[in-house]
Coordinates of all heavy atoms in Angstrom, one line a residue:
M1 N 9.1 2.8 20.9 CA 8.0 1.9 20.5 C 7.2 2.5 19.3 O 7.0 3.7 19.3 CB 7.0 1.6 21.6 CG 6.5 0.2 21.6 SD 5.1 0.0 22.8 CE 3.7 0.6 21.8
V2 N 6.9 1.7 18.4 CA 6.1 2.1 17.2 C 4.7 2.4 17.6 O 4.1 1.6 18.3 CB 6.3 1.1 16.0 CG1 5.7 -0.2 16.3 CG2 5.8 1.7 14.7
K3 N 4.2 3.5 17.1 CA 2.8 3.9 17.4 C 1.8 3.0 16.7 O 2.1 2.5 15.6 CB 2.5 5.3 16.9 CG 3.0 6.4 17.9 CD 2.4 7.7 17.5 CE 2.9 8.9 18.3 NZ 2.2 10.1 17.9
E4 N 0.6 2.8 17.3 CA -0.4 1.9 16.6 C -1.6 2.8 16.2 O -2.0 3.7 16.9 CB -0.8 0.9 17.7 CG 0.3 -0.1 18.0 CD -0.1 -1.2 19.0 OE1 -1.1 -1.0 19.7 OE2 0.5 -2.2 19.0
Y5 N -2.1 2.4 15.0 CA -3.2 3.1 14.4 C -4.2 2.1 13.9 O -3.9 1.1 13.4 CB -2.8 4.0 13.3 CG -1.8 5.1 13.6 CD1 -0.5 5.0 13.6 CD2 -2.3 6.4 14.1 CE1 0.4 6.0 13.9 CE2 -1.5 7.4 14.5 CZ -0.1 7.2 14.4 OH 0.8 8.2 14.7
T6 N -5.5 2.5 14.1 CA -6.6 1.7 13.6 C -6.8 2.0 12.1 O -6.3 3.0 11.6 CB -7.9 1.9 14.3 OG1 -8.3 3.3 14.1 CG2 -7.8 1.7 15.8
Q7 N -7.6 1.1 11.4 CA -7.9 1.4 10.0 C -8.6 2.7 9.9 O -8.4 3.4 8.9 CB -8.9 0.3 9.6 CG -8.4 -0.4 8.3 CD -9.1 -1.7 8.1 OE1 -10.4 -1.7 8.0 NE2 -8.4 -2.8 7.9
A8 N -9.5 3.1 10.8 CA -10.2 4.4 10.8 C -9.2 5.5 10.9 O -9.4 6.5 10.2 CB -11.3 4.4 11.9
Q9 N -8.2 5.4 11.7 CA -7.2 6.5 11.8 C -6.4 6.6 10.6 O -6.1 7.7 10.1 CB -6.3 6.2 13.0 CG -7.1 6.4 14.4 CD -6.2 6.0 15.5 OE1 -5.6 4.9 15.6 NE2 -6.2 6.8 16.6
L10 N -6.1 5.4 10.0 CA -5.3 5.4 8.8 C -6.1 6.1 7.6 O -5.6 6.8 6.8 CB -4.9 4.0 8.4 CG -4.2 3.7 7.1 CD1 -2.9 4.5 6.9 CD2 -4.0 2.2 6.8
A11 N -7.4 5.8 7.6 CA -8.3 6.3 6.5 C -8.3 7.8 6.5 O -8.5 8.3 5.4 CB -9.7 5.7 6.7
L12 N -8.0 8.5 7.6 CA -8.0 9.9 7.6 C -6.8 10.5 6.9 O -6.7 11.6 6.5 CB -8.1 10.5 9.0 CG -9.4 10.3 9.7 CD1 -9.2 10.7 11.2 CD2 -10.4 11.2 9.1
R13 N -5.8 9.6 6.7 CA -4.5 10.1 6.1 C -4.5 9.7 4.6 O -3.5 9.1 4.1 CB -3.3 9.5 6.8 CG -2.9 10.2 8.0 CD -3.8 10.1 9.2 NE -3.3 10.8 10.4 CZ -3.7 10.6 11.6 NH1 -4.5 9.6 11.9 NH2 -3.2 11.3 12.6
N14 N -5.6 10.0 3.9 CA -5.7 9.5 2.5 C -5.4 10.6 1.5 O -5.6 10.5 0.3 CB -7.2 9.1 2.3 CG -8.2 10.2 2.6 OD1 -7.8 11.3 3.0 ND2 -9.4 9.9 2.3
G15 N -4.8 11.7 2.0 CA -4.5 12.8 1.1 C -5.6 13.8 0.8 O -5.4 14.7 0.0
Q16 N -6.7 13.5 1.5 CA -7.9 14.4 1.2 C -8.3 15.1 2.5 O -8.7 16.3 2.5 CB -9.1 13.5 0.7 CG -8.8 12.8 -0.6 CD -8.7 13.7 -1.8 OE1 -9.6 14.4 -2.1 NE2 -7.5 13.7 -2.5
D17 N -8.4 14.4 3.6 CA -8.9 14.9 4.8 C -7.9 15.6 5.7 O -8.2 16.5 6.5 CB -9.6 13.8 5.6 CG -10.7 13.1 4.8 OD1 -11.5 13.9 4.3 OD2 -10.7 11.9 4.7
R18 N -6.6 15.2 5.6 CA -5.5 15.7 6.4 C -4.3 15.9 5.5 O -4.2 15.3 4.5 CB -5.2 14.7 7.5 CG -6.3 14.4 8.4 CD -5.9 14.6 9.9 NE -7.0 14.2 10.7 CZ -6.8 13.7 11.9 NH1 -5.6 13.5 12.4 NH2 -7.9 13.4 12.7
P19 N -3.3 16.7 6.0 CA -2.1 16.9 5.1 C -1.3 15.6 5.0 O -0.6 15.4 4.0 CB -1.3 18.0 5.9 CG -2.0 18.1 7.2 CD -3.3 17.6 7.2
E20 N -1.4 14.7 6.0 CA -0.6 13.5 5.9 C -1.1 12.5 4.8 O -2.3 12.3 4.7 CB -0.5 12.7 7.2 CG 0.1 13.5 8.4 CD -1.0 14.1 9.2 OE1 -2.2 14.0 8.9 OE2 -0.7 14.6 10.3
I21 N -0.1 11.8 4.2 CA -0.5 10.8 3.2 C 0.2 9.5 3.6 O 1.5 9.5 3.5 CB -0.1 11.2 1.7 CG1 -0.7 12.6 1.4 CG2 -0.5 10.1 0.8 CD1 -0.4 13.1 0.0
W22 N -0.6 8.6 4.1 CA 0.0 7.3 4.6 C -0.6 6.2 3.9 O -1.8 6.2 3.5 CB -0.3 7.2 6.1 CG 0.3 8.2 7.0 CD1 1.2 9.1 6.8 CD2 0.0 8.2 8.5 NE1 1.5 9.8 7.9 CE2 0.8 9.3 8.9 CE3 -0.8 7.5 9.3 CZ2 0.8 9.7 10.3 CZ3 -0.8 7.9 10.7 CH2 0.0 8.9 11.1
C23 N 0.2 5.1 3.8 CA -0.4 3.8 3.4 C 0.2 2.7 4.1 O 1.4 2.8 4.6 CB -0.4 3.7 1.9 SG 1.2 3.4 1.2
A24 N -0.5 1.6 4.2 CA 0.0 0.4 5.0 C 0.4 -0.7 4.0 O -0.2 -0.9 3.0 CB -1.1 -0.1 5.9
Y25 N 1.5 -1.4 4.4 CA 1.9 -2.5 3.7 C 2.4 -3.5 4.7 O 3.3 -3.2 5.5 CB 3.0 -2.2 2.7 CG 3.5 -3.4 1.9 CD1 2.8 -4.0 1.0 CD2 4.8 -3.9 2.2 CE1 3.2 -5.1 0.3 CE2 5.3 -5.0 1.6 CZ 4.5 -5.6 0.6 OH 4.9 -6.8 0.0
Q26 N 1.9 -4.8 4.6 CA 2.3 -5.8 5.6 C 2.3 -5.4 7.0 O 3.3 -5.6 7.7 CB 3.6 -6.5 5.1 CG 3.4 -7.3 3.8 CD 4.5 -8.2 3.5 OE1 5.6 -8.1 4.0 NE2 4.3 -9.1 2.6
G27 N 1.3 -4.7 7.4 CA 1.1 -4.3 8.8 C 1.8 -3.0 9.3 O 1.5 -2.5 10.4
M28 N 2.7 -2.5 8.4 CA 3.4 -1.3 8.8 C 2.8 -0.1 8.0 O 2.4 -0.3 6.8 CB 4.9 -1.4 8.5 CG 5.6 -2.6 9.2 SD 5.1 -2.7 11.0 CE 6.3 -1.5 11.7
I29 N 2.8 1.1 8.6 CA 2.3 2.3 7.9 C 3.4 3.2 7.5 O 4.3 3.5 8.3 CB 1.3 3.0 8.9 CG1 0.1 2.1 9.3 CG2 0.8 4.3 8.2 CD1 -0.8 2.7 10.3
Y30 N 3.4 3.5 6.2 CA 4.5 4.4 5.7 C 4.0 5.8 5.4 O 2.8 5.9 4.9 CB 5.0 3.7 4.4 CG 5.7 2.4 4.6 CD1 5.0 1.2 4.7 CD2 7.1 2.4 4.9 CE1 5.6 0.0 4.9 CE2 7.7 1.2 5.1 CZ 7.0 0.0 5.1 OH 7.6 -1.2 5.4
D31 N 4.8 6.8 5.6 CA 4.5 8.1 5.3 C 5.0 8.5 3.9 O 6.2 8.6 3.7 CB 5.1 9.1 6.3 CG 4.7 10.5 6.1 OD1 4.1 10.8 5.1 OD2 5.0 11.3 7.0
V32 N 4.1 8.6 2.9 CA 4.5 8.9 1.5 C 4.1 10.3 1.1 O 4.1 10.7 -0.1 CB 3.9 7.9 0.5 CG1 4.4 6.5 0.8 CG2 2.3 7.8 0.6
S33 N 3.9 11.2 2.2 CA 3.5 12.6 1.9 C 4.5 13.3 1.0 O 4.0 14.2 0.2 CB 3.5 13.3 3.3 OG 2.7 12.7 4.2
N34 N 5.8 13.0 1.0 CA 6.7 13.7 0.2 C 6.8 13.2 -1.2 O 7.6 13.8 -2.0 CB 8.1 13.7 0.9 CG 8.1 14.5 2.1 OD1 7.4 15.5 2.2 ND2 8.9 14.1 3.1
S35 N 6.2 12.1 -1.5 CA 6.3 11.5 -2.8 C 5.5 12.3 -3.9 O 4.3 12.5 -3.7 CB 5.9 10.1 -2.8 OG 5.9 9.5 -4.1
R36 N 6.1 12.6 -5.0 CA 5.4 13.2 -6.1 C 4.4 12.2 -6.7 O 3.4 12.6 -7.4 CB 6.3 13.7 -7.2 CG 7.2 14.8 -6.7 CD 8.2 15.3 -7.8 NE 7.5 15.8 -9.0 CZ 7.6 15.2 -10.2 NH1 8.4 14.2 -10.4 NH2 6.9 15.7 -11.2
L37 N 4.7 10.9 -6.5 CA 3.9 9.9 -7.1 C 2.6 9.5 -6.3 O 1.8 8.7 -6.7 CB 4.7 8.6 -7.3 CG 5.8 8.7 -8.4 CD1 6.8 7.6 -8.3 CD2 5.2 8.8 -9.8
W38 N 2.5 10.2 -5.1 CA 1.3 10.0 -4.3 C 0.6 11.3 -4.0 O -0.1 11.4 -3.0 CB 1.8 9.3 -2.9 CG 2.1 7.9 -3.1 CD1 3.3 7.3 -3.5 CD2 1.2 6.8 -2.9 NE1 3.1 6.0 -3.5 CE2 1.9 5.6 -3.2 CE3 -0.2 6.7 -2.5 CZ2 1.3 4.3 -3.1 CZ3 -0.8 5.4 -2.4 CH2 0.0 4.3 -2.7
R39 N 0.7 12.2 -4.9 CA 0.1 13.5 -4.7 C -1.4 13.4 -4.5 O -2.1 12.6 -5.2 CB 0.4 14.4 -5.9 CG 0.8 15.8 -5.4 CD 1.1 16.7 -6.6 NE 2.5 16.6 -7.0 CZ 2.9 16.7 -8.3 NH1 2.1 16.9 -9.2 NH2 4.2 16.7 -8.5
N40 N -1.9 14.1 -3.5 CA -3.4 14.1 -3.2 C -3.8 12.7 -2.7 O -5.0 12.4 -2.6 CB -4.3 14.5 -4.3 CG -3.9 16.0 -4.7 OD1 -3.7 16.8 -3.9 ND2 -3.8 16.2 -6.0
G41 N -2.9 11.8 -2.4 CA -3.2 10.5 -1.9 C -3.5 9.5 -3.0 O -3.8 8.3 -2.7
K42 N -3.3 9.9 -4.3 CA -3.6 8.9 -5.4 C -2.3 8.4 -6.0 O -1.4 9.2 -6.3 CB -4.5 9.6 -6.4 CG -5.2 8.7 -7.3 CD -6.3 9.4 -8.1 CE -7.2 8.4 -8.8 NZ -6.4 7.6 -9.8
H43 N -2.2 7.1 -6.3 CA -1.1 6.5 -6.9 C -1.6 5.6 -8.0 O -2.1 4.5 -7.7 CB -0.2 5.8 -5.9 CG 1.0 5.1 -6.4 ND1 2.1 5.8 -6.9 CD2 1.3 3.8 -6.6 CE1 3.0 5.0 -7.3 NE2 2.6 3.8 -7.1
Y44 N -1.6 6.0 -9.2 CA -2.2 5.3 -10.3 C -3.6 5.0 -9.9 O -4.3 6.0 -9.5 CB -1.4 4.1 -10.7 CG 0.0 4.5 -11.2 CD1 1.1 4.7 -10.3 CD2 0.2 4.8 -12.5 CE1 2.3 5.2 -10.7 CE2 1.4 5.3 -13.0 CZ 2.5 5.5 -12.1 OH 3.7 6.0 -12.5
E45 N -4.1 3.8 -9.9 CA -5.5 3.6 -9.5 C -5.7 3.3 -8.0 O -6.8 2.9 -7.6 CB -6.2 2.6 -10.4 CG -5.8 1.1 -10.1 CD -4.7 0.6 -11.0 OE1 -3.8 1.4 -11.3 OE2 -4.7 -0.6 -11.3
H46 N -4.7 3.6 -7.2 CA -4.7 3.3 -5.8 C -4.8 4.5 -4.9 O -4.2 5.6 -5.3 CB -3.5 2.5 -5.4 CG -3.4 1.2 -6.2 ND1 -4.2 0.1 -6.0 CD2 -2.5 0.8 -7.1 CE1 -3.9 -0.9 -6.8 NE2 -2.9 -0.5 -7.5
W47 N -5.5 4.4 -3.8 CA -5.6 5.5 -2.9 C -4.9 5.2 -1.6 O -4.9 4.0 -1.1 CB -7.1 5.7 -2.6 CG -7.8 6.5 -3.6 CD1 -8.5 6.1 -4.7 CD2 -7.7 8.0 -3.8 NE1 -8.9 7.1 -5.5 CE2 -8.5 8.3 -4.9 CE3 -7.2 9.0 -3.1 CZ2 -8.7 9.6 -5.4 CZ3 -7.3 10.3 -3.5 CH2 -8.1 10.6 -4.7
A48 N -4.3 6.2 -1.0 CA -3.6 6.1 0.3 C -4.7 6.0 1.4 O -5.9 6.0 1.1 CB -2.8 7.3 0.6
G49 N -4.3 5.8 2.6 CA -5.3 5.8 3.7 C -5.8 4.4 3.9 O -6.8 4.2 4.6
Q50 N -5.1 3.4 3.3 CA -5.6 2.0 3.5 C -4.4 1.0 3.4 O -3.3 1.4 3.0 CB -6.7 1.7 2.5 CG -6.3 1.9 1.1 CD -7.3 1.6 0.1 OE1 -8.0 0.6 0.2 NE2 -7.5 2.5 -0.9
D51 N -4.8 -0.2 3.7 CA -3.8 -1.3 3.6 C -3.7 -1.7 2.1 O -4.7 -2.2 1.6 CB -4.2 -2.5 4.5 CG -3.2 -3.6 4.5 OD1 -2.3 -3.6 3.6 OD2 -3.3 -4.5 5.3
L52 N -2.6 -1.6 1.5 CA -2.4 -1.9 0.1 C -1.6 -3.2 -0.2 O -1.0 -3.3 -1.3 CB -1.9 -0.7 -0.7 CG -2.8 0.5 -0.8 CD1 -2.1 1.7 -1.3 CD2 -4.0 0.2 -1.6
T53 N -1.5 -4.0 0.8 CA -0.7 -5.2 0.7 C -1.1 -6.1 -0.5 O -0.2 -6.4 -1.3 CB -0.8 -6.1 2.0 OG1 -0.5 -5.2 3.1 CG2 0.1 -7.3 1.9
E54 N -2.3 -6.3 -0.6 CA -2.8 -7.2 -1.7 C -2.6 -6.5 -3.1 O -2.2 -7.2 -4.1 CB -4.3 -7.5 -1.6 CG -4.6 -8.4 -0.4 CD -3.8 -9.7 -0.4 OE1 -3.8 -10.3 -1.5 OE2 -3.3 -10.1 0.6
E55 N -2.8 -5.2 -3.1 CA -2.7 -4.5 -4.4 C -1.3 -4.5 -4.9 O -1.1 -4.3 -6.1 CB -3.2 -3.0 -4.2 CG -4.7 -2.9 -4.1 CD -5.3 -3.2 -2.8 OE1 -4.6 -3.7 -1.9 OE2 -6.5 -3.1 -2.6
L56 N -0.3 -4.6 -4.1 CA 1.1 -4.6 -4.6 C 1.4 -5.7 -5.6 O 2.2 -5.5 -6.4 CB 2.1 -4.6 -3.4 CG 3.5 -4.3 -3.9 CD1 3.7 -2.8 -4.1 CD2 4.6 -4.8 -2.9
R57 N 0.6 -6.7 -5.5 CA 0.8 -7.8 -6.5 C 0.6 -7.3 -7.9 O 1.2 -7.9 -8.9 CB -0.3 -8.9 -6.3 CG -0.2 -9.7 -5.1 CD -1.4 -10.7 -5.0 NE -1.8 -11.0 -3.7 CZ -1.3 -12.0 -3.0 NH1 -0.3 -12.7 -3.6 NH2 -1.7 -12.3 -1.8
D58 N -0.2 -6.4 -8.2 CA -0.5 -5.8 -9.5 C 0.5 -4.7 -9.9 O 0.4 -4.3 -11.0 CB -1.9 -5.2 -9.6 CG -3.0 -6.2 -9.1 OD1 -2.8 -7.4 -9.4 OD2 -4.0 -5.7 -8.5
A59 N 1.4 -4.3 -9.0 CA 2.3 -3.2 -9.3 C 3.4 -3.7 -10.1 O 3.9 -4.8 -10.1 CB 2.8 -2.6 -8.0
P60 N 4.0 -2.8 -10.9 CA 5.1 -3.1 -11.8 C 6.4 -3.0 -11.0 O 7.5 -3.0 -11.6 CB 5.1 -2.1 -12.9 CG 4.5 -0.9 -12.2 CD 3.5 -1.4 -11.2
H61 N 6.4 -3.0 -9.7 CA 7.6 -2.9 -8.8 C 7.4 -3.7 -7.6 O 6.2 -4.1 -7.3 CB 7.8 -1.4 -8.4 CG 6.7 -0.7 -7.8 ND1 6.2 -1.0 -6.5 CD2 5.8 0.2 -8.3 CE1 5.1 -0.3 -6.3 NE2 4.9 0.5 -7.3
T62 N 8.4 -3.9 -6.8 CA 8.4 -4.7 -5.6 C 8.2 -3.8 -4.4 O 8.1 -2.6 -4.6 CB 9.7 -5.5 -5.4 OG1 10.7 -4.6 -5.1 CG2 10.0 -6.4 -6.6
E63 N 8.2 -4.4 -3.2 CA 8.0 -3.6 -2.0 C 9.3 -2.7 -1.7 O 9.3 -2.0 -0.7 CB 7.7 -4.5 -0.8 CG 8.8 -5.3 -0.2 CD 9.1 -6.5 -1.0 OE1 8.4 -6.8 -1.9 OE2 10.1 -7.2 -0.6
K64 N 10.3 -2.9 -2.5 CA 11.6 -2.1 -2.4 C 11.3 -0.6 -2.4 O 12.0 0.2 -1.9 CB 12.5 -2.5 -3.5 CG 13.4 -3.7 -3.2 CD 14.7 -3.3 -2.5 CE 15.5 -4.5 -2.1 NZ 16.3 -4.2 -0.9
V65 N 10.2 -0.3 -3.1 CA 9.8 1.2 -3.2 C 9.6 1.8 -1.8 O 9.7 3.0 -1.7 CB 8.5 1.4 -4.0 CG1 8.8 1.1 -5.5 CG2 7.3 0.5 -3.5
F66 N 9.3 1.0 -0.8 CA 9.1 1.5 0.6 C 10.4 1.9 1.3 O 10.4 2.5 2.3 CB 8.3 0.6 1.4 CG 6.8 0.5 1.0 CD1 6.3 -0.6 0.4 CD2 6.0 1.7 1.2 CE1 5.0 -0.6 0.0 CE2 4.7 1.6 0.7 CZ 4.2 0.5 0.2
D67 N 11.5 1.4 0.8 CA 12.8 1.5 1.5 C 13.1 2.9 1.9 O 13.6 3.1 3.0 CB 14.0 1.0 0.6 CG 14.0 -0.5 0.6 OD1 13.1 -1.2 1.3 OD2 14.9 -1.1 -0.1
K68 N 12.8 3.9 1.1 CA 13.2 5.3 1.4 C 12.1 6.0 2.2 O 12.3 7.2 2.5 CB 13.6 6.0 0.1 CG 12.4 6.3 -0.8 CD 12.9 7.1 -2.0 CE 11.8 7.4 -2.9 NZ 12.3 7.9 -4.2
F69 N 11.1 5.3 2.6 CA 10.0 6.0 3.4 C 10.1 5.5 4.8 O 10.4 4.4 5.1 CB 8.7 5.7 2.8 CG 8.5 6.4 1.4 CD1 8.7 5.6 0.3 CD2 8.3 7.7 1.3 CE1 8.6 6.2 -1.0 CE2 8.2 8.3 0.0 CZ 8.4 7.5 -1.1
Q70 N 9.7 6.4 5.7 CA 9.7 6.2 7.1 C 8.5 5.5 7.6 O 7.4 5.8 7.2 CB 9.8 7.5 7.9 CG 10.8 7.4 9.0 CD 10.7 8.7 9.8 OE1 10.8 9.8 9.2 NE2 10.7 8.7 11.1
V71 N 8.7 4.5 8.5 CA 7.5 3.8 9.1 C 7.0 4.8 10.2 O 7.8 5.2 11.0 CB 7.9 2.5 9.7 CG1 6.8 1.9 10.6 CG2 8.3 1.5 8.6
V72 N 5.7 5.1 10.1 CA 5.2 6.0 11.1 C 4.4 5.3 12.2 O 4.0 5.8 13.2 CB 4.3 7.1 10.5 CG1 5.2 8.1 9.8 CG2 3.2 6.6 9.6
G73 N 4.1 4.0 11.9 CA 3.3 3.2 12.8 C 2.9 1.9 12.3 O 3.4 1.4 11.3
K74 N 2.1 1.2 13.1 CA 1.7 -0.1 12.9 C 0.2 -0.1 12.8 O -0.5 0.5 13.6 CB 2.2 -0.9 14.1 CG 2.2 -2.4 13.9 CD 2.7 -3.1 15.2 CE 2.2 -4.5 15.2 NZ 2.7 -5.2 16.4
L75 N -0.3 -0.9 11.8 CA -1.8 -1.0 11.7 C -2.3 -2.1 12.6 O -1.9 -3.2 12.5 CB -2.1 -1.3 10.2 CG -3.6 -1.3 9.8 CD1 -4.3 0.0 10.1 CD2 -3.8 -1.8 8.4
I76 N -3.3 -1.7 13.4 CA -3.8 -2.7 14.3 C -5.3 -3.1 14.0 O -5.9 -2.4 13.2 CB -3.7 -2.3 15.8 CG1 -4.3 -0.9 16.0 CG2 -2.3 -2.3 16.2 CD1 -4.6 -0.6 17.5
Ligands
HEM1 C1 -1.2 -0.6 -10.9 C2 -0.5 -0.4 -9.8 C3 0.7 0.4 -9.7 C4 1.5 1.0 -10.7 C5 1.2 1.1 -12.2 C6 2.6 1.7 -10.0 C7 3.6 2.4 -10.6 C8 4.7 2.9 -10.0 C9 5.8 3.6 -10.6 C10 6.0 3.7 -12.1 C11 6.7 4.0 -9.7 C12 8.0 4.7 -9.8 C13 9.0 3.8 -10.4 C14 9.4 2.7 -9.5 O1 9.8 3.0 -8.3 O2 9.4 1.5 -9.9 C15 6.1 3.6 -8.4 C16 6.6 3.9 -7.2 C17 6.0 3.6 -5.9 N1 4.9 2.8 -5.7 FE1 3.7 2.1 -7.2 N2 2.5 1.4 -8.6 C18 1.4 0.6 -8.5 C19 0.9 0.1 -7.3 C20 1.4 0.4 -6.0 C21 0.9 -0.1 -4.8 C22 -0.3 -1.0 -4.6 C23 1.7 0.5 -3.8 C24 1.6 0.3 -2.3 C25 1.4 -0.9 -1.7 C26 2.7 1.3 -4.4 C27 3.7 2.0 -3.8 C28 4.7 2.7 -4.4 C29 5.7 3.5 -3.7 C30 5.7 3.7 -2.2 C31 6.5 4.1 -4.7 C32 7.7 5.0 -4.4 C33 7.3 6.4 -4.7 C34 8.4 7.4 -4.7 O3 9.6 7.0 -4.7 O4 8.2 8.6 -4.6 N3 2.5 1.2 -5.8 N4 4.9 3.0 -8.6

């Protein structure tokens, strides 16, 4: 079963407070800790530790970018 995390728990994985760097997209939480493009939790003008579903509209790429990342949980 996929683990569930609250927004507050996700917020701690913003690349600043803990070693994990996570972000949520369409209800699922992805671990982007290994990505060079998310170093310190920052990706262009976006920060990890939150739901970035709406922000993806402005990105120059689709949600395909999440394919190679593991889902670590579900945002509740
Ligand atoms: C102004 C907004 C954004 C810009 C300019 C941007 C730019 C980029 C670029 C250039 C790449 C690498 C090339 C590619 O895969 O197409 C990338 C990868 C990625 N982006 Fe974005 N992005 C933006 C917003 C977002 C948002 C809002 C999310 C999350 C919902 C996101 C998640 C990702 C992920 C997970 C990767 C893959 C990283 C990797 O492979 O290591 N991006 N982005």
Side-chain angles (χ1 to χ4, degrees):
M1 214 191 85
V2 62
K3 280 195 183 180
E4 296 183 336
Y5 296 93
T6 62
Q7 234 168 52
Q9 289 172 314
L10 173 61
L12 289 170
R13 276 74 179 200
N14 61 357
Q16 302 287 304
D17 302 311
R18 303 232 182 148
E20 300 99 351
I21 305 176
W22 294 355
C23 71
Y25 178 72
Q26 290 194 344
M28 303 312 278
I29 300 172
Y30 295 87
D31 185 350
V32 295
S33 307
N34 291 330
S35 174
R36 295 180 60 241
L37 292 167
W38 283 88
R39 226 179 271 148
N40 302 317
K42 201 170 187 296
H43 182 70
Y44 298 88
E45 73 264 38
H46 301 290
W47 280 95
Q50 54 181 317
D51 183 347
L52 292 171
T53 305
E54 293 303 317
E55 283 82 353
L56 191 75
R57 289 178 208 274
D58 307 325
H61 54 70
T62 68
E63 76 280 356
K64 277 269 173 209
V65 290
F66 287 111
D67 285 358
K68 66 179 185 194
F69 295 97
Q70 221 185 315
V71 169
V72 288
K74 195 178 159 180
L75 183 62
I76 51 164

